[in-house]
Amino acid sequence: PSNGTFTLEVPMSGMYSVINQLGQVVYASYLNQNQLNTIELDAAAGVYYLMANTNGFSVSYRLVVTK
């Protein structure tokens, strides 16, 4: 869980989106492979999903925001 700031390393470079439980995009950014990327969500407490489809591969991460 986090207050909205996440630091993560992604397996591939590409455009990533954070989706809420209603399927709405609340954040989108290009993240780089093999380096630490920081995402700062100004979002309500809840569960979100970081998703990407790049070069035929898809990845997703579950993010939990607590306030």
Side-chain angles (χ1 to χ4, degrees):
S2 168
N3 64 355
T5 300
F6 297 89
T7 302
L8 47 94
E9 188 174 340
V10 294
M12 60 189 164
S13 295
M15 195 65 179
Y16 285 76
S17 299
V18 176
I19 313 291
N20 66 16
Q21 291 184 329
L22 298 174
Q24 300 166 322
V25 175
V26 296
Y27 178 90
S29 182
Y30 187 90
L31 301 181
N32 293 303
Q33 178 182 11
N34 297 327
Q35 76 178 46
L36 293 178
N37 296 277
T38 301
I39 295 173
E40 294 188 26
L41 290 179
D42 183 20
V47 177
Y48 297 84
Y49 298 92
L50 176 67
M51 304 180 83
N53 286 311
T54 304
N55 298 328
F57 296 98
S58 63
V59 294
S60 65
Y61 298 94
R62 183 173 179 249
L63 305 176
V64 178
V65 175
T66 58
K67 298 260 178 164

